[in-house]
Amino acid sequence: MSEQLVAENFTLSGATNVTGIRLWSIQDTAAAYRGSIYWAIYSDLGGIPDAVLSGGTSSIVSEVATGNSTGFGYAEYEINIAASFNLAAGNYWLALHNGDLSDNSSAEMLWSTTGGGSADGRYLDSTFGWVQSGNEQAFQLDGTPGGGGGTIPEPSTLALMSLALLAATRARQRSN
């Protein structure tokens, strides 16, 4: 994230009001964070980022050490970026850069990976364009489908919530 603009794809099944972006980084020191994060939401063009739909450089970023370590002298940080934009259902890309886009320092701040998934992550190379990185970057969008506030649950979380609601409804029906 320090030398390149890095992007990861995502899909929304319905219109969504996004109120925040949460990601995890691994850094050799807390000073690797440049004091701001450039972020952008790109449309998707056949599996690569296309046009910027929303974004900017945010210096109002919450960065908190998680206490986790890679074991190679790098610590993990949770980063929260306030945002406010709406997206329709569709495929998109989240792109991030440590600091302003003009800052290409070699600070050791890396966007954490999930260790699984489809490994569709990309980085922007000035010669070759969007190059596949072989990674699946870890992030979460906060917001509400269709508008409002809250957190967009992952599909597995939504399924568990639905099962819990069903179980509570059945338990209530039995007690009546």
Side-chain angles (χ1 to χ4, degrees):
M1 264 179 41
S2 295
E3 295 177 42
Q4 305 282 344
L5 182 61
V6 180
E8 183 59 60
N9 64 347
F10 65 97
T11 301
L12 294 175
S13 59
T16 303
N17 175 22
V18 178
T19 58
I21 301 165
R22 181 175 310 182
L23 65 128
W24 293 265
S25 70
I26 51 175
Q27 300 166 209
D28 62 347
T29 67
Y33 167 56
R34 294 294 185 209
S36 66
I37 300 278
Y38 171 82
W39 65 273
I41 301 295
Y42 284 81
S43 60
D44 179 78
L45 178 65
I48 60 170
D50 187 26
V52 174
L53 303 175
S54 188
T57 300
S58 181
S59 59
I60 304 173
V61 173
S62 163
E63 181 191 38
V64 178
T66 65
N68 295 329
S69 172
T70 63
F72 297 103
Y74 286 68
E76 180 185 62
Y77 294 82
E78 179 179 311
I79 297 172
N80 291 284
I81 303 169
S84 180
F85 57 90
N86 294 304
L87 294 173
N91 298 320
Y92 299 96
W93 290 83
L94 169 63
L96 299 168
H97 186 275
N98 182 17
D100 187 83
L101 281 177
S102 64
D103 183 351
N104 293 325
S105 68
S106 60
E108 290 293 321
M109 182 175 178
L110 308 168
W111 187 357
S112 290
T113 61
T114 64
S118 59
D120 287 332
R122 306 245 174 206
Y123 65 91
L124 187 56
D125 181 276
S126 60
T127 303
F128 300 107
W130 288 103
V131 177
Q132 192 164 13
S133 68
N135 293 316
E136 184 80 17
Q137 270 51 56
F139 73 97
Q140 175 181 319
L141 297 178
D142 295 327
T144 313
T151 299
I152 302 167
E154 298 176 17
S156 59
T157 303
L158 191 56
L160 287 173
M161 289 172 30
S162 298
L163 286 173
L165 182 60
L166 179 62
T169 302
R170 286 190 178 164
R172 185 173 196 168
Q173 287 174 344
R174 286 186 189 135
S175 66
N176 288 337

